[in-house]
């Protein structure tokens, strides 16, 4: 799996998945504006995302519109990502 945006939700998600799904492996991090390391991985820009089988959690509310646009553009299947705005906006 991959995470787009480093924030508190990303940390909570990582801790949850590590505890409950120990075989799940974090393979990539994405952020549009900053470079950072997160649990041993270095972030990349979202334009590096491919329409492959890596599940992507978009944990930043402000990144969800850009993510939706990018995923539509690259034809990433809707069942291969989760946008946290679904939780915040409830749609």
């Amino acid at each position: 799996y991959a995470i787009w945006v480093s924030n508190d939700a990303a940390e909570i998600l990582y801790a949850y998945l590590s505890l409950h799904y120990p075989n799940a492996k974090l393979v990539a991090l994405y952020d549009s504006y900053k470079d950072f390391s997160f649990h041993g991985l270095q972030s990349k820009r979202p334009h590096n995302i491919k329409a492959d089988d890596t599940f992507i959690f978009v944990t930043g509310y402000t990144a969800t519109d850009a993510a939706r646009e990018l995923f539509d553009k690259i034809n990433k299947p809707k069942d291969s990502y989760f946008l946290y705005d679904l939780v915040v906006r409830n749609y």
Side-chain angles (χ1 to χ4, degrees), residues 1 29 37 45 58 85:
Y1 69 95
L29 301 161
S37 64
R45 297 295 183 250
V58 181
D85 76 333

Side-chain angles (χ1 to χ4, degrees), residues 2-86:
I3 298 175
W4 182 340
V5 179
S6 176
N7 57 18
D8 291 342
E11 284 290 348
I12 292 167
L13 174 65
Y14 179 83
Y16 180 86
L17 293 175
S18 295
L19 179 63
H20 296 283
Y21 299 91
N23 293 328
K25 183 177 180 183
L26 178 64
V27 297
L29 301 161
Y30 301 101
D31 194 283
S32 297
Y33 303 106
K34 63 182 176 179
D35 296 319
F36 62 94
S37 64
F38 184 86
H39 299 278
L41 292 175
Q42 186 61 38
S43 65
K44 303 178 211 175
R45 297 295 183 250
H47 69 265
N48 292 294
I49 294 173
K50 306 291 184 232
D52 59 16
D53 62 351
T54 301
F55 193 91
I56 301 176
F57 294 94
V58 181
T59 62
Y61 175 75
T62 59
T64 56
D65 290 337
R68 187 178 286 111
E69 183 178 317
L70 174 65
F71 296 159
D72 286 346
K73 180 179 177 183
I74 66 172
N75 295 315
K76 186 153 181 69
K78 291 184 187 273
D79 63 352
S80 67
Y81 60 86
F82 182 80
L83 305 174
Y84 268 50
D85 76 333
L86 296 172

